[in-house]
């Protein structure tokens, strides 16, 4: 398909795109069409010449352009139908999305405007995604399809559009899936890739269901930034502290220090507000508030731990505010000389009644709750204004209470501190909880119309307004109220020399100050002594009481709404088991009614305690821990430097956010050190739990981004470091095939590379037909996940090749990154080499030569029973991995230095049987397969007391000795002792033993015994030689029995054949392998593992079958044997 438009495809000259300011007319009542999982998104075939016939059949409808503007201007007419149909030969016909509802558009008209531009209803936020007239639709009355025309010609290639980037169905618009690369690129007879999301776009089932509920609901109540954020934050920040503690703080700290305290608290909350704004504007924000922001930034570990304690803190905060309200009501009742039972029980009764009423308001719906908040805010603002008005009205009767109006003398006297049993930090710790509540708006992020705009605007403005009011109250009360006053009925002492004086300077209140060593004043009024002094100052004192009621009830109501919303988001993410039941939403607003009930009972329990002084510091610390992590999230995301971190709110700084996080931690300890410690312990405990549980989510957190950043940085740094023998690590390319096909090979290599060196599982997928890269990519994802689930610290790399050697060459050359590159090739022994195609033997031996050519070391593992269990699992190198494979339990034998294998990783269970499918019954195994399965899991078990026998016959740089040393350092192998066997002469046995002992001591490698094989060159037994001769007989060329030309031709066709010449030339070496096998059976028949120097064969001189016969003879009928040959570069050193 050509992408260049011919003249017939070009738009008419009169086509003009509308200005950007002009929008689309949207039919909001039209349901957008979209694909379902079972439907094909596109139907692609060649457009036949009948396209022109369909046009002649009456389809004369002009093209409806998606860019028709609101003023009624129409797009230019479509190109000539006949020309379009003629030009469409050889192009694609694209069948449009099928409406899941089954409803069909009328065939005799153009598609309604609501489905233009990609078949999605254009919401207010997606108007800018209009393609400006670049998409056109032809409607075919015969086939009921659209012709999608981009840039004037037929193609399914799509232009940029917001709906392609949505995660799922949402209130903002329908998610559309753009054509995949394979749909545009693959041949017509090839199946396109499966539909899927871009990296990280996939949602959890809970998120999908939540989004579906949101998209299907009608008449959902959404709040703007004033009602949704500003009002809530102001009400939560203006707590009861404003009316009954602010004056006491001014009395203790003075005006200057009080302003410093308010400023310090405001700095912390402002930095946190800025950080919240940055996170909230870095993408679409769902419900969950602080939990959602932290979890999507730092990951589920921090998010899950904070989410739980933040929801609990809000639930207990309901009790705190309700008890504060109840205590005020009880004091009011007692001022009239009456009560119901006693003070404590009266608080409980009123508290229970209050929380039931608040629950009713909350359950009635967010709209009712918002109306209640507006009403309470009006009362609260009226009370504040009432105080400031009263402060300008001087009444003679109020002077006895310490109120004289604004007076310079009082202001100067109150400017400095007068701590009575308190310190600056203790006063600060009492005030700071009054500044919290800045997340009240963010906590209902799911109920905001536009969280990205509402949260920054409302939160920061609320911090500014409340901070100014706190400062205003501090300065005002300090300027017009004395610290001490005797109260009514007490004769005021006139200062000496003043007659008929009414100013504050005329009175002597010095006797009200506490005596030395005392903290309580004999006078009961003034800033120090009267918590209700603002009622005295106010123009109408009952309004202050109403303000106190409003402040407590509004904060309680905000917390009662916040706790279930945060908890609902936590439940839907399935971070903790057993709580999902509480996350179910009801009604059009998806209200968490069960969460409300849970919050109600938690609040009720703490109300009945009626003594919250002990729990209050912990709650404050819970909030501060949330603030600290929000600040740290911004710093962490900025440090990771991820391209996905692009907040539209630009007024933040990573270092300021880090300072804010540190300040929050400092304030936690200032408020209450033991509560801060307890908070940290709880957060870390939950963090460790969630980390251990490893929830299966991928939110693209900054933790992932920073991990990548660090890995990239350190990998580049490693490239500038020269290799040194002391830092050598075995980095293995292990030819496992599918990782679960050869578990013994995987487990043994993993044992000595785990936490030490790199391990890459190489898989050569042999394919002679067209390469199936889709299947290759699927395998890459599937098997890498399998390795992770089985706690195997390895990478999986598949390649497509025509044969094993070619694929291994690809891997040897390309695998690795910088210094993180394999230096050792690990193979499984080819047990069936005598039964199959001998050309495979040629390739097998040649890939060992290739490894040596590339300066790799080579390692071959042989088990008597074999390695490959893929035939038992019902898979081979060209099939996918089965979820349920074999059944032998290995969970009890997990390595002590690794975590328990995940339950998600199904590998082996209790009886030796195969289960091909979860629904089919198990199939009994034959004896050979049963032994093979048992052998395949032997390295997963803890090795008992035994030996690792090292036959270090040739110096290859030390790899033959290093591998057993690394093995025996692991917990599974720690009970095994290393025995070393070396070659020598009979008359030098003691000398050779001492020399080797000295070398091993210098290498600091423990050993239990050294054996010098003085009889290594003894002639092998005649029956062993006969067996070797019989084995190689079928593979001999026997050139002496044929003509030279025929022999050369046969050798060229079958290069694996053994010539008589080489057999005679390497007779001594063949006898040595036979003799070594005899010695191995004599000395190491009971070893847990034999590690032996691999014999080398000169390339081009020794045929592959002769070399294979050497390996076969050497390793036959033995315990597990590892043939090792390093690249002859030193890997051990005794220098420091």
């Amino acid at each position: 398909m050509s992408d260049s438009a011919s003249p017939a495809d070009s738009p008419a000259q009169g086509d003009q795109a509308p200005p950007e300011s002009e929008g689309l007319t949207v039919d909001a009542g039209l349901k957008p069409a979209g694909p379902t999982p079972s439907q094909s998104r596109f139907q692609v075939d060649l457009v036949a010449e009948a396209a022109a016939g369909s046009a002649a059949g009456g389809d004369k409808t002009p093209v409806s352009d998606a860019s028709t503007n609101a003023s009624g201007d129409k797009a230019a007419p479509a190109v000539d139908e006949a020309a379009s149909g003629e030009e469409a030969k050889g192009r694609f016909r694209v069948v449009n999305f099928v409406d899941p509802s089954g409803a069909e558009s009328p065939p005799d008209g153009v598609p309604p405007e609501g489905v233009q531009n990609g078949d999605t209803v254009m919401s207010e936020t997606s108007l800018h995604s209009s393609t400006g007239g670049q998409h056109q639709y032809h409607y075919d009355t015969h086939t009921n399809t659209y012709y999608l025309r981009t840039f004037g010609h037929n193609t399914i290639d799509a232009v940029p559009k917001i709906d392609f980037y949505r995660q799922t169905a949402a209130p903002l618009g329908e998610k559309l899936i753009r054509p995949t690369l394979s749909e545009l690129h693959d041949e017509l007879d090839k199946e396109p890739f499966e539909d899927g999301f871009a990296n990280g776009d996939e949602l959890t089932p809970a998120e999908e269901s939540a989004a579906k509920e949101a998209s299907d609901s009608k008449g959902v109540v959404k709040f703007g930034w004033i009602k949704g954020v500003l009002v809530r934050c102001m009400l939560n920040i203006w707590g009861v502290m404003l009316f009954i503690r602010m004056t006491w703080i001014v009395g203790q700290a003075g005006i200057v220090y009080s302003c410093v305290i308010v400023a310090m608290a405001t700095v912390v909350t402002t930095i946190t507000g800025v950080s919240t704004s940055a996170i909230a504007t870095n993408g679409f924000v769902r419900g969950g508030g602080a939990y959602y922001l932290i979890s999507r930034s730092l990951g589920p570990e921090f998010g899950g731990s904070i989410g739980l304690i933040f929801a609990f803190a809000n639930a207990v905060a309901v009790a705190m505010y309700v008890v504060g309200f109840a205590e005020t009501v009880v004091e009011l009742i007692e001022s009239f000389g009456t009560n119901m039972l006693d003070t404590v029980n009266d608080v409980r009764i009123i508290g229970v009644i209050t929380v039931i009423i608040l629950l009713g308001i909350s359950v009635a719906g967010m709209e009712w709750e918002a109306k209640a908040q507006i009403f309470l805010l009006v009362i609260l603002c009226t009370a504040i204004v009432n105080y400031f008005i009263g402060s300008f009205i001087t009444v003679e009767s109020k002077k006895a209470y310490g109120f004289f109006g604004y007076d310079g003398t009082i202001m100067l006297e109150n400017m400095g501190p007068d701590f009575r049993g308190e310190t600056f930090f203790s006063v600060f710790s009492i005030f700071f909880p009054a500044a919290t509540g800045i997340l009240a708006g963010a906590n209902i992020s799911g109920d905001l119309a536009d969280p990205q705009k509402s949260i920054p605007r409302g939160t920061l403005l609320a911090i500014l307004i409340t901070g100014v009011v706190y400062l205003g109250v501090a300065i005002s009360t300090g300027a017009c109220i004395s610290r001490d006053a005797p109260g009514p009925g007490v004769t005021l002492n006139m200062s000496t020399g003043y007659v008929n004086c009414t100013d504050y300077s005329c009175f002597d209140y010095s006797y009200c100050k506490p005596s030395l060593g005392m903290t309580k004043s004999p006078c009961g009024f003034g800033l120090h002594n009267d918590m209700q002094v603002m009622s005295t100052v106010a123009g109408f004192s009952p309004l202050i009481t109403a303000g106190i009621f409003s402040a407590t009830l509004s904060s309680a109501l905000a917390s009662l709404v916040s706790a279930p919303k945060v908890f609902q988001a936590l439940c839907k993410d399935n971070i903790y088991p057993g709580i999902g039941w509480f996350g179910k939403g009801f009604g059009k607003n998806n209200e968490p009614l069960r969460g409300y009930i849970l919050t109600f009972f938690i609040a009720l329990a703490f109300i009945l305690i009626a003594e919250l002084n002990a729990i209050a510091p912990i709650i404050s610390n819970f909030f501060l821990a949330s603030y600290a992590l929000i600040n740290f999230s911004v710093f962490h995301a900025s440090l990771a430097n991820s391209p996905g971190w692009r907040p539209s709110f630009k007024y933040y700084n990573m270092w300021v956010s880090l300072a804010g996080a540190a300040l929050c931690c400092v304030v936690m300890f200032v408020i209450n050190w033991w509560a801060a410690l307890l908070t940290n312990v709880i957060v870390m405990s939950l963090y460790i739990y969630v980390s251990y549980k490893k929830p299966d989510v991928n939110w693209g957190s900054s933790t992932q981004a920073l991990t990548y950043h660090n890995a990239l940085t350190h990998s580049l740094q490693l490239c500038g470091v020269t290799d040194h023998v002391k830092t050598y690590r075995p980095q293995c390319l292990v030819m496992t095939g599918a990782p679960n096909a050869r578990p013994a090979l995987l487990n043994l290599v993993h044992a000595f590379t785990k936490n030490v060196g790199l391990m890459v599982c190489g898989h050569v997928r042999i394919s002679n037909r067209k390469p199936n890269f889709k299947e290759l990519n699927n395998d890459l994802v599937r098997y890498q996940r399998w390795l992770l689930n089985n706690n195997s610290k390895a990478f999986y790399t598949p390649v497509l090749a025509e044969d094993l050697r070619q694929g291994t060459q690809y891997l040897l050359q390309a695998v690795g990154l910088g210094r993180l590159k394999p230096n050792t090739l690990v193979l499984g022994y080819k047990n069936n080499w005598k039964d199959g195609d001998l050309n495979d033997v040629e390739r097998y031996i040649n890939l060992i030569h290739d490894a040596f050519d590339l300066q790799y070391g080579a390692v071959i593992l042989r088990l008597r029973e074999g390695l490959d269990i893929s035939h038992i699992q019902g898979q081979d190198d060209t099939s996918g991995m089965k979820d349920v494979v074999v059944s032998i339990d290995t969970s009890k034998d997990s390595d002590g230095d690794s975590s328990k294998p995940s339950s998600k990783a199904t590998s082996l269970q209790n009886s030796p049987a195969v289960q091909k499918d979860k629904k089919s019954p198990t199939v009994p195994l034959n004896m050979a397969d049963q032994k093979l399965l048992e052998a395949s899991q032997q390295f997963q078990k803890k090795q008992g007391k035994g030996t690792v026998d090292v036959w270090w016959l040739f110096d290859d740089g030390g790899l033959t000795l290093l591998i057993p040393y690394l093995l025996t350092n692991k917990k599974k192998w720690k009970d095994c002792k290393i025995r070393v066997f070396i070659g020598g002469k009979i008359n030098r046995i003691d000398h050779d033993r001492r020399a080797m002992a000295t070398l091993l001591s210098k290498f600091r490698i423990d050993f239990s015994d050294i054996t010098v094989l003085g009889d290594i060159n003894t002639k092998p037994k005649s029956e062993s030689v006969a067996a070797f001769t019989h084995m190689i007989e079928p593979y001999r060329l026997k050139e002496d029995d044929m003509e030279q030309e025929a022999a050369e031709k046969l050798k060229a066709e079958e290069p694996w054949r053994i010539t008589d010449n080489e057999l005679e030339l390497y007779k001594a070496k063949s006898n040595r392998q036979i003799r070594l096998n005899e010695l191995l059976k004599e000395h190491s028949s009971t070893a847990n593992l034999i590690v032996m120097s691999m014999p080398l064969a000169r390339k081009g001189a020794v045929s592959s079958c002769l070399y294979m016969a050497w390996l076969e003879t050497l390793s036959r009928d033995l315990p597990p044997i590892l043939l090792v040959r390093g690249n002859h570069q030193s890997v051990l050193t005794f220098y420091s």
Side-chain angles (χ1 to χ4, degrees):
M1 177 173 75
S2 173
D3 279 342
S4 60
S6 65
D9 291 312
S10 302
Q13 296 295 323
D15 286 356
Q16 291 182 356
E20 286 187 12
S21 60
E22 294 173 349
L24 296 173
T25 55
V26 180
D27 182 4
L30 182 68
K31 183 177 180 180
T36 64
S38 62
Q39 294 168 335
S40 175
R41 298 188 290 110
F42 293 102
Q43 192 177 353
V44 183
D45 53 34
L46 290 177
V47 176
E49 296 181 9
S54 70
D59 188 8
K60 302 294 184 182
T61 306
V63 177
S64 174
D65 196 318
S67 299
T68 302
N69 58 44
S71 64
D73 295 339
K74 295 183 179 179
V79 294
D80 181 76
E81 296 287 331
S84 174
E86 184 68 25
E87 205 277 332
K89 291 180 182 178
R91 295 183 179 269
F92 291 94
R93 179 174 67 195
V94 182
V95 179
N96 196 34
F97 292 160
V98 181
D99 189 346
S101 66
E104 294 184 359
S105 302
D108 56 348
V110 296
E113 285 184 317
V115 294
Q116 296 301 318
N117 198 18
D119 287 60
T120 181
V121 174
M122 300 292 288
S123 68
E124 186 177 351
T125 59
S126 61
L127 290 176
H128 296 293
S129 67
S130 169
T131 57
Q134 294 169 346
H135 276 201
Q136 300 173 346
Y137 292 87
H138 286 280
Y139 192 78
D140 187 336
T141 57
H142 299 286
T143 59
N144 212 25
T145 62
Y146 294 117
Y147 290 102
L148 179 60
R149 299 172 60 81
T150 303
F151 302 132
H153 67 92
N154 292 332
T155 175
I156 62 173
D157 216 350
V159 295
K161 185 173 181 62
I162 190 174
D163 301 293
F164 293 137
Y165 295 89
R166 301 192 191 283
Q167 287 187 324
T168 185
L172 295 180
E174 184 88 5
K175 174 178 175 59
L176 298 182
I177 303 177
R178 71 179 62 82
T180 65
L181 185 61
S182 60
E183 285 170 338
L184 297 171
H185 173 262
D186 284 358
E187 299 174 16
L188 287 177
D189 59 349
K190 285 197 71 173
E191 295 229 352
F193 277 42
E194 296 176 0
D195 298 342
F197 295 104
N199 292 338
D201 282 349
E202 60 271 13
L203 300 182
T204 61
E207 287 178 319
E208 289 181 354
S209 62
K212 185 176 184 302
E213 289 174 5
S215 64
D216 292 342
S217 59
K218 304 294 181 184
V220 176
V221 178
K222 295 291 184 182
F223 303 116
W225 70 275
I226 295 178
K227 187 186 288 189
V229 182
L230 180 66
V231 169
R232 293 174 186 279
C233 289
M234 288 172 62
L235 284 170
N236 236 24
I237 297 172
W238 278 334
V240 70
M241 195 73 69
L242 177 65
F243 297 104
I244 64 175
R245 282 292 184 273
M246 197 65 220
T247 54
W248 176 84
I249 289 171
V250 174
Q252 290 280 352
I255 296 174
V256 174
Y257 280 1
S258 295
C259 291
V260 171
I261 287 172
V262 173
M264 286 173 59
T266 305
V267 165
V268 174
T269 55
T270 301
I271 294 174
T272 307
V274 168
S275 298
T276 304
S277 302
I279 299 176
T281 59
N282 190 50
F284 182 73
V285 178
R286 298 182 185 273
Y291 161 71
Y292 186 88
L293 297 178
I294 293 172
S295 63
R296 268 51 176 186
S297 294
L298 289 178
E301 294 83 6
F302 278 116
S305 56
I306 283 297
L308 197 61
I309 67 169
F310 191 74
F312 177 77
N314 274 287
V316 178
V318 174
M320 290 176 59
Y321 295 128
V322 167
V323 167
F325 167 78
E327 287 177 348
T328 307
V329 174
V330 169
E331 287 178 9
L332 195 62
I333 293 174
E334 289 179 345
S335 66
F336 293 100
T338 183
N339 56 23
M340 289 178 281
L341 297 174
D342 55 69
T343 301
V344 174
N345 286 316
D346 286 357
V347 168
R348 290 172 176 160
I349 292 170
I350 295 172
V352 170
I353 294 172
T354 303
V355 79
I356 290 174
I357 294 172
L358 294 177
L359 177 67
I361 295 173
S362 301
V363 171
M366 290 295 293
E367 196 170 5
W368 283 97
E369 189 266 349
K371 291 176 180 177
Q373 293 280 31
I374 294 289
F375 174 72
L376 293 173
L377 180 64
V378 170
I379 296 176
L380 189 57
C381 291
T382 304
I384 293 172
V385 172
N386 175 51
Y387 160 75
F388 280 108
I389 292 174
S391 67
F392 288 97
I393 303 173
T394 306
V395 180
E396 191 67 30
S397 61
K398 295 182 180 180
K399 292 183 179 179
Y401 296 96
F403 172 59
F404 288 85
Y406 291 100
D407 190 296
T409 306
I410 295 178
M411 188 171 185
L412 287 173
E413 186 177 299
N414 291 342
M415 198 65 74
D418 182 24
F419 294 115
R420 300 179 184 177
E422 302 289 344
T423 63
F424 175 83
F425 288 108
S426 67
V427 173
F428 174 77
S429 67
I430 291 171
F431 170 78
F432 187 83
T436 59
I438 61 172
L439 296 181
N443 286 339
I444 62 161
S445 55
D447 296 294
L448 299 176
D450 188 357
Q452 295 189 34
K453 291 182 179 178
S454 300
I455 292 175
R457 195 178 297 174
T459 303
L460 294 177
L461 187 58
I463 293 171
L464 175 64
I465 293 173
T466 54
V468 169
V469 170
Y470 273 126
L471 287 173
V473 170
I475 295 171
S476 173
T477 54
C480 65
I481 306 172
S482 64
R483 279 195 165 105
D484 299 287
V490 178
T491 303
L492 301 178
N493 293 333
M494 299 294 292
S495 298
T496 306
Y498 292 95
V499 180
N500 297 327
C501 180
T502 59
D503 292 338
Y504 173 73
S505 56
C506 305
F507 298 93
D508 181 13
Y509 287 163
S510 58
Y511 70 92
C512 284
K513 292 186 177 182
S515 56
L516 191 64
M518 303 293 291
T519 58
K520 189 164 182 64
S521 168
C523 300
F525 295 92
L527 295 174
H528 265 303
N529 312 306
D530 185 11
M531 299 298 179
Q532 303 282 351
V533 70
M534 286 184 70
S535 299
T536 305
V537 177
F540 183 62
S541 59
L543 270 179
I544 298 297
T545 304
I548 294 172
F549 291 170
S550 173
T552 52
L553 291 177
S554 63
S555 297
L557 195 55
S559 298
L560 186 56
V561 170
S562 295
K565 295 285 185 182
V566 174
F567 195 61
Q568 182 183 36
L570 187 64
C571 292
K572 288 189 174 183
D573 284 338
N574 293 320
I575 302 295
Y576 299 101
I579 64 173
W581 186 80
F582 293 101
K584 181 175 174 56
F586 296 88
K588 62 183 181 181
N589 281 341
N590 197 30
E591 296 288 351
L593 297 184
R594 295 170 180 173
Y596 281 124
I597 301 300
L598 177 64
T599 304
F600 167 76
F601 280 110
I602 292 174
L604 193 65
F606 283 96
I607 287 170
L608 295 177
I609 294 174
E611 180 57 58
L612 297 173
N613 289 339
I615 200 73
I618 299 177
I619 302 306
S620 296
N621 276 279
F622 281 0
F623 286 124
L624 277 166
S626 305
Y627 297 169
L629 279 180
I630 287 176
N631 285 311
F632 184 73
S633 297
V634 172
F635 168 77
H636 200 265
S638 301
L639 184 66
N641 199 24
S642 171
W645 174 248
R646 304 184 304 274
S648 55
F649 182 86
K650 303 296 184 184
Y651 307 103
Y652 71 94
N653 180 276
M654 59 182 291
W655 300 109
V656 172
S657 295
L658 180 62
L663 280 173
C664 289
C665 294
V666 170
V667 171
M668 287 172 66
F669 283 92
V670 165
I671 290 177
N672 191 301
W673 67 268
W674 62 263
L677 287 177
L678 181 61
T679 301
N680 287 325
V681 168
I682 293 173
V683 170
M684 291 309 300
S685 299
L686 293 172
Y687 177 90
I688 292 170
Y689 170 78
V690 177
S691 298
Y692 175 78
K693 186 173 178 285
K694 291 188 176 68
D696 188 17
V697 295
N698 181 13
W699 294 326
S701 67
S702 60
T703 305
Q704 297 173 8
L706 190 61
T707 301
Y708 173 85
H709 181 270
N710 290 337
L712 181 61
T713 302
H714 293 152
S715 296
L716 290 170
Q717 288 175 351
L718 273 176
C719 291
V721 179
T722 307
D723 286 331
H724 193 280
V725 63
K726 287 196 297 184
T727 59
Y728 174 87
R729 296 167 183 266
Q731 304 194 112
C732 299
L733 172 60
V734 191
M735 303 305 294
T736 57
N740 61 344
R742 295 168 178 83
L745 184 62
L746 179 78
N747 294 326
L748 182 63
V749 179
H750 184 255
F752 65 81
T753 58
K754 179 183 177 183
N755 299 327
V756 174
L758 175 71
M759 177 178 172
V760 179
C761 295
H763 186 180
V764 178
R765 296 179 63 93
I766 299 172
S767 175
N768 293 319
R769 50 189 176 84
K770 290 182 179 180
N772 190 338
F773 293 109
K774 172 190 173 182
E775 191 173 344
L776 193 74
N777 289 334
N778 289 341
D779 278 355
L780 178 60
V781 174
R782 186 186 302 121
Y783 285 124
Q784 188 63 59
R785 185 181 294 122
W786 186 89
L787 287 168
L788 291 173
N789 289 341
N790 282 274
N791 299 308
S792 298
K793 298 186 177 181
F795 299 95
Y796 171 74
T797 304
V799 292
L800 284 172
E802 294 182 1
D803 57 54
L804 179 64
R805 184 186 181 189
Q806 185 188 64
T808 306
Q809 286 175 337
Y810 293 162
L811 292 170
L812 289 169
Q813 295 175 77
V815 166
L817 184 68
R819 290 282 304 282
L820 295 176
K821 182 178 176 63
N823 52 30
T824 305
L825 176 68
V826 183
L827 301 167
Y829 181 75
K830 190 172 180 62
N831 270 5
N832 64 345
W833 68 275
K834 290 179 285 188
D835 302 328
D837 184 359
L838 290 173
N839 286 317
D840 290 340
V841 177
E842 180 75 13
R843 297 187 190 100
Y844 180 80
I845 297 301
N846 280 333
L847 67 86
I848 299 176
H849 292 312
D850 294 336
F852 291 140
D853 288 341
L854 291 167
Q855 292 299 300
Y856 276 66
V859 176
I860 298 177
L861 173 65
R862 180 174 187 181
L863 299 187
R864 195 175 314 178
E865 300 81 4
L867 293 168
D868 189 1
I869 64 170
S870 59
H871 63 285
I872 302 176
Q873 300 179 24
Q875 68 173 23
D876 54 29
D877 282 352
T878 59
S879 67
M881 186 182 73
K882 301 294 184 290
D883 289 333
V884 177
V885 288
V886 195
S887 64
I888 299 176
D889 193 348
T890 60
S891 60
K892 296 179 182 178
D893 300 315
S894 61
D895 194 344
D897 58 354
S898 65
S899 58
K900 186 177 179 180
S902 169
S903 60
K904 300 175 186 174
T906 307
S907 57
L908 303 171
Q909 293 176 357
N910 250 346
S911 62
V914 169
Q915 191 171 348
K916 300 282 185 181
D917 191 286
K918 292 183 180 180
K919 296 180 181 178
S920 63
T922 57
V923 181
L925 296 176
N926 59 41
M927 186 61 67
D929 284 344
Q930 183 174 335
K931 289 182 177 180
L932 175 59
L933 279 177
E934 291 172 355
S936 69
Q937 61 154 346
Q938 62 181 304
F939 298 128
Q940 295 175 352
K941 300 177 181 178
K942 182 177 176 61
Q943 304 296 312
K945 290 187 176 182
T947 62
V948 175
D949 289 357
V950 181
W951 290 64
W952 196 15
L953 304 179
F954 307 104
D955 194 336
D956 59 351
L959 186 63
T960 309
L961 188 60
L962 180 62
I963 288 176
Y965 166 75
L966 294 174
L967 268 177
T968 53
N969 274 345
K970 301 297 181 180
K971 289 187 177 180
K972 285 182 182 177
W973 293 83
K974 67 177 182 180
D975 293 335
C976 293
K977 304 297 183 183
I978 293 179
R979 296 193 305 179
V980 179
F981 295 82
I982 59 173
K985 295 181 180 179
I986 296 178
N987 58 352
R988 290 172 53 91
I989 288 180
D990 290 338
H991 176 271
D992 290 342
R993 182 185 291 114
R994 285 195 299 271
M996 178 54 64
T998 302
L999 181 60
L1000 294 177
S1001 298
K1002 287 183 178 292
F1003 284 151
R1004 303 171 303 283
I1005 292 178
D1006 294 330
F1007 59 92
S1008 64
D1009 187 31
I1010 296 176
T1011 301
V1012 180
L1013 303 169
D1015 54 349
I1016 193 170
N1017 290 320
T1018 304
K1019 190 175 180 179
K1021 297 176 183 177
S1022 58
E1023 57 266 27
S1024 300
V1025 175
F1028 177 80
T1029 303
H1030 177 73
M1031 178 178 63
I1032 64 173
E1033 184 65 25
Y1035 315 114
R1036 293 180 59 183
L1037 182 61
K1038 298 182 179 179
E1039 68 271 24
D1040 293 340
D1041 298 338
M1042 64 179 72
E1043 294 182 2
Q1044 182 178 357
E1045 184 179 347
E1048 290 176 353
K1049 182 179 179 182
L1050 183 59
K1051 179 66 175 176
E1053 292 174 353
E1054 299 178 350
W1056 41 266
R1057 287 200 175 272
I1058 306 171
T1059 65
D1060 295 340
N1061 183 42
E1062 69 172 310
L1063 195 58
E1064 184 62 30
L1065 184 63
Y1066 293 106
K1067 183 177 181 180
K1069 195 164 187 176
S1070 299
N1071 288 337
R1072 185 186 302 143
Q1073 313 312 319
I1074 300 170
R1075 176 58 182 158
L1076 283 172
N1077 180 257
E1078 294 174 350
L1079 291 172
L1080 283 164
K1081 290 177 180 177
E1082 178 183 344
H1083 295 282
S1084 298
S1085 58
T1086 59
N1088 294 58
L1089 178 69
I1090 301 171
V1091 182
M1092 187 172 194
S1093 296
M1094 182 196 302
L1096 274 184
R1098 189 171 298 278
K1099 184 172 60 173
V1102 178
S1103 61
S1104 56
C1105 276
L1106 180 58
Y1107 189 27
M1108 201 72 212
W1110 289 350
L1111 299 179
E1112 172 73 22
T1113 302
L1114 180 66
S1115 58
R1116 182 191 296 169
D1117 299 330
L1118 291 171
I1121 181 169
L1122 207 59
L1123 301 175
V1124 180
R1125 175 66 70 157
N1127 64 358
H1128 287 245
Q1129 299 292 321
S1130 294
V1131 301
L1132 295 171
T1133 182
F1134 45 80
Y1135 294 106
S1136 59

